[in-house]
Amino acid sequence: MGKILVIEDEKNIRETIVEILVLNGHDVESADNGKNGLDRAIQSKPDLVLCDVMMPELNGWETVKAFKEIPDLFCTPFVFLSALSTMPDLRKGMNLGADDYITKPFNLEELLKVVSFQMNKAKIRKKMNQLDLYRKNKSSIAEFEDKANEKVKDLQDSLERAKIVQEVILPSAVELNEFLPEYFIYYSPKESISGDFYWARKFDDLYMIAVADCTGHGVPAALISMVCYNMLNTTVEQYGYRNPANILDTVNGLVIEFMSAHHENYVGDGMDIALCVIDDQRKLIKFAGAKRPIYFVSKEFKPLRVNQHNLRVGEDLSGQKLFEVKGSNSPIGGLGAKFDIHEEIFHYEKGDTIYLSSDGFADQFGGDEDKKYKTKNLKDFILSVQNNGMKKQRKLFTDEFEIWKGTTEQTDDVTLFGVRF
């Protein structure tokens, strides 16, 4: 049963109506004049109002007029109770918004019949309002989803265009084929655009290759990668540096200067990078790394200048070993600690292989226990594929990564650059 508000200034009549309605299962409130009734209605929002006409404070006509001025009460069924029963009286009440009129004295059957009719009408109105609200909400949700889908499509289109721009700056296969004897690149961004990039340049008998991993992934990292990529080019083209330690030291200064000048809240976002300069005439590899190593596969390691603390030797496989030459602990663009970069130099021979990588491959979660792939497994896998050409190796690395990842979300951007001499 719904809630009924009885507004009647005569106590005996008010209490009698309340008692009758309660006995018939209704929830009933009452007020002794129009002003108190209006206040009570604002608080409780009744489903039906039975209201006397001749009352102090606000009479019935003033009360119904006040009800119709309040949005929450505008549709509440309103029935007059009055001894005034002439046609002008009835018409005045109806014109002000009353739904029905019960003439005093009234009998029980008439009262309950009017109440039942008006309560049913109120229920129907509520259902219609709910249906209308549902339709409006459904329409609003559909409109919101359409706008959201449009925004998502715009974002995806923008990322795809950004991906094209980013790929344009990366060395093309045509460029790499001119000076690299045999190589592969496995490049797999986590999202459309990447915080990783690979880089290569040639100057006379020297050619340079690098793999960089900028802070984070996605759009912010991609923007940082563009800055770092340009600083590498600036360093070798305008400053003319050819030694990897000098190159990275200069790039570090340029990145910090650029980022600090353009962003007052710069906190040291930058990149980890493995960079090597290959002297094709003297068969030398000069390497410097900012928190990234180089992996060198050969039958023996012939250092020209290598700090033994930075050298790790892997397992033998068919007469070959994997030598890991570690980079420094300083990232490009870091603030606070002094940038400390060292340069390692060692010989290579025909058939030797080097690998530069970001940390995305080793950090990928997957496998039966959903754990990281780890660097040790990457080095073991590098040794296991040495009997294959570089194009075949790329497929093997791709398959290994995908099988390990399985249905797990890709953890980070992945770049692996292999070169065989």
Side-chain angles (χ1 to χ4, degrees):
M1 292 291 185
K3 186 183 294 182
I4 301 174
L5 174 63
V6 178
I7 307 173
E8 170 63 62
D9 63 327
E10 294 187 32
K11 182 178 180 182
N12 291 337
I13 298 176
R14 182 173 71 249
E15 291 178 349
T16 298
I17 296 173
V18 170
E19 184 177 359
I20 292 170
L21 295 175
V22 170
L23 288 173
N24 280 271
H26 294 286
D27 180 11
V28 186
E29 293 183 327
S30 64
D32 58 1
N33 62 59
K35 182 177 182 303
N36 292 337
L38 182 63
D39 292 340
R40 182 66 60 83
I42 291 172
Q43 293 179 355
S44 63
K45 296 180 178 58
D47 299 300
L48 172 63
V49 178
L50 302 178
C51 182
D52 189 19
V53 174
M54 304 307 296
M55 296 183 298
E57 297 287 342
L58 289 177
N59 62 37
W61 293 316
E62 293 170 332
T63 302
V64 71
K65 183 179 179 181
F67 265 69
K68 299 307 176 183
E69 291 174 352
I70 298 173
D72 286 345
L73 302 176
F74 180 82
C75 292
T76 303
F78 201 99
V79 177
F80 278 126
L81 302 169
S82 180
L84 299 173
S85 59
T86 65
M87 184 56 69
D89 295 327
L90 295 173
R91 178 52 56 197
K92 181 176 181 180
M94 295 300 180
N95 287 342
L96 290 170
D99 293 87
D100 209 338
Y101 208 112
I102 300 176
T103 304
K104 295 179 181 178
F106 52 82
N107 59 49
L108 176 60
E109 183 180 355
E110 181 186 10
L111 173 65
L112 294 178
K113 185 176 181 181
V114 170
V115 167
S116 176
F117 177 77
Q118 293 298 332
M119 291 294 282
N120 286 333
K121 189 165 71 172
K123 287 181 182 178
I124 294 172
R125 182 178 288 140
K126 272 189 175 180
K127 289 182 179 179
M128 293 299 293
N129 288 339
Q130 289 172 351
L131 180 60
D132 186 51
L133 181 61
Y134 169 76
R135 287 171 176 166
K136 288 181 179 178
N137 287 340
K138 188 175 181 181
S139 176
S140 297
I141 291 171
E143 184 179 354
F144 174 80
E145 288 177 344
D146 288 343
K147 289 182 178 179
N149 290 334
E150 185 178 345
K151 292 291 184 182
V152 169
K153 185 179 183 303
D154 288 344
L155 176 60
Q156 290 174 337
D157 290 344
S158 296
L159 290 175
E160 286 302 315
R161 289 193 293 272
K163 178 182 179 181
I164 293 171
V165 172
Q166 190 176 46
E167 289 178 347
V168 165
I169 72 169
L170 298 176
S172 68
V174 173
E175 294 172 303
L176 295 174
N177 290 338
E178 288 182 358
F179 57 88
L180 291 181
E182 189 182 358
Y183 72 95
F184 78 83
I185 298 171
Y186 176 46
Y187 178 65
S188 177
K190 171 179 167 60
E191 299 168 6
S192 295
I193 51 180
S194 175
D196 285 6
F197 67 84
Y198 53 92
W199 178 86
R201 299 298 301 271
K202 185 178 187 304
F203 297 93
D204 299 324
D205 291 329
L206 301 179
Y207 54 95
M208 309 173 183
I209 62 172
V211 167
D213 182 355
C214 292
T215 305
H217 51 77
V219 175
L223 294 175
I224 294 174
S225 74
M226 297 288 283
V227 173
C228 295
Y229 192 96
N230 286 332
M231 295 313 177
L232 269 174
N233 285 333
T234 298
T235 300
V236 297
E237 290 174 358
Q238 297 185 19
Y239 289 83
Y241 289 125
R242 299 294 181 262
N243 293 325
N246 290 337
I247 292 172
L248 294 189
D249 187 56
T250 304
V251 168
N252 177 65
L254 291 173
V255 169
I256 292 175
E257 181 181 357
F258 176 86
M259 296 297 288
S260 300
H262 291 81
H263 201 305
E264 60 182 11
N265 295 322
Y266 175 60
V267 293
D269 292 334
M271 69 175 174
D272 303 337
I273 184 171
L275 168 68
C276 62
V277 176
I278 299 165
D279 187 333
D280 192 42
Q281 194 171 48
R282 295 193 295 166
K283 298 293 185 286
L284 287 178
I285 295 174
K286 297 180 180 180
F287 168 75
K291 301 194 74 173
R292 295 305 304 158
I294 183 173
Y295 303 125
F296 176 61
V297 179
S298 178
K299 292 181 178 180
E300 62 177 316
F301 189 70
K302 298 178 180 178
L304 184 64
R305 188 177 73 226
V306 174
N307 186 331
Q308 292 300 311
H309 292 293
N310 298 323
L311 180 64
R312 301 287 185 274
V313 181
E315 297 292 329
D316 276 311
L317 186 72
S318 302
Q320 293 198 339
K321 296 180 181 180
L322 185 146
F323 301 90
E324 177 185 4
V325 183
K326 299 172 71 70
S328 72
N329 291 322
S330 299
I332 299 292
L335 298 176
K338 180 182 178 182
F339 185 71
D340 181 25
I341 199 79
H342 48 78
E343 187 170 283
E344 318 290 357
I345 306 175
F346 51 93
H347 291 275
Y348 70 87
E349 295 180 359
K350 183 175 177 59
D352 291 344
T353 314
I354 59 172
Y355 299 86
L356 308 179
S357 73
S358 64
D359 60 9
F361 203 113
D363 284 351
Q364 177 60 44
F365 282 89
D368 294 337
E369 299 179 2
D370 194 28
K371 293 183 177 181
K372 286 186 177 182
Y373 187 81
K374 295 185 178 179
T375 301
K376 181 183 183 306
N377 290 328
L378 176 60
K379 293 190 290 187
D380 288 345
F381 194 75
I382 288 173
L383 273 173
S384 74
V385 300
Q386 290 308 302
N387 291 332
N388 298 279
M390 300 308 278
K391 288 184 179 180
K392 176 65 174 177
Q393 283 193 28
R394 185 188 186 283
K395 184 179 187 311
L396 293 172
F397 278 106
T398 302
D399 292 345
E400 175 75 359
F401 183 80
E402 291 300 324
I403 291 170
W404 178 262
K405 179 168 72 74
T407 58
T408 306
E409 181 182 359
Q410 185 168 329
T411 307
D412 198 358
D413 304 315
V414 176
T415 306
L416 182 63
F417 197 154
V419 178
R420 175 167 287 168
F421 300 103

